């Protein structure tokens, strides 16, 4: 990580934290909605999201929110480490198709996932993380 962290603004940190929270909330809502549809709820993709991907995303989001709060207190490295990791969110979710709740939801989730990745890249770029 770069030694000069002056380029890291609260706006970038909050954008990243908000993007993460929005994505996880949308996945949670999609899982809840799909659970009500027997056609979707019986699929392996849905079960994988419900049992594996969503709990992991919720834990990661909790870490991001806590790191964002610590950024307000002057602790920078935690949020940067998490942003560096989340640049690979799409790769991390390989094997978990976003279509688990139907094609309409998949488009929304893909956009939100991209928003997280872009916010993570912007934060890393400001910190000088290659």
């Amino acid at each position: 990580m770069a030694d000069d962290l002056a380029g890291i603004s609260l706006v970038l940190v909050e954008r990243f934290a908000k993007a993460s929270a929005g994505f996880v909330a949308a996945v949670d809502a999609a899982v809840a909605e799909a659970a009500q549809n027997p056609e979707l709820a019986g699929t392996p993709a849905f079960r994988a999201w419900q049992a594996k991907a969503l709990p992991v995303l919720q834990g990661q989001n909790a870490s991001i929110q806590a790191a964002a709060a610590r950024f307000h207190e002057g602790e920078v490295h935690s949020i940067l480490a998490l942003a560096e990791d989340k640049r690979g969110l799409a790769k991390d979710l390989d094997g978990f198709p976003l279509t688990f709740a139907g094609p309409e939801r998949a488009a929304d989730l893909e956009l939100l996932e991209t928003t997280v990745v872009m916010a993570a890249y912007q934060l890393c770029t400001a910190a000088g993380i290659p």
Side-chain angles (χ1 to χ4, degrees):
M1 281 186 221
D3 292 329
D4 179 19
L5 302 176
I8 302 169
S9 72
L10 179 58
V11 170
L12 291 174
V13 171
E14 289 178 346
R15 181 179 301 145
F16 175 55
K18 184 179 177 183
S20 174
F23 177 61
V24 173
V27 169
D28 188 37
V31 166
E33 183 179 300
Q36 303 303 311
N37 181 336
E39 213 173 273
L40 296 172
T43 66
F46 169 77
R47 290 192 301 272
W49 273 95
Q50 184 182 44
K52 294 178 186 172
L54 179 58
V56 168
L57 288 172
Q58 289 169 327
Q60 292 171 346
N61 182 57
S63 295
I64 290 168
Q65 302 310 314
R70 287 193 304 274
F71 178 83
H72 288 279
E73 300 164 1
E75 198 283 302
V76 177
H77 295 286
S78 296
I79 196 70
L80 294 179
L82 290 163
E84 189 173 9
D85 180 61
K86 289 301 128 215
R87 292 185 300 183
L89 179 60
K91 184 179 177 218
D92 292 346
L93 293 175
D94 277 353
F96 294 97
L98 293 174
T99 56
F100 74 93
E104 301 82 25
R105 278 285 200 179
D108 293 339
L109 294 175
E110 186 173 347
L111 178 62
L112 292 168
E113 177 187 61
T114 300
T115 302
V116 173
V117 173
M118 288 175 55
Y121 267 103
Q122 290 170 342
L123 189 51
C124 289
T125 298
I129 299 169

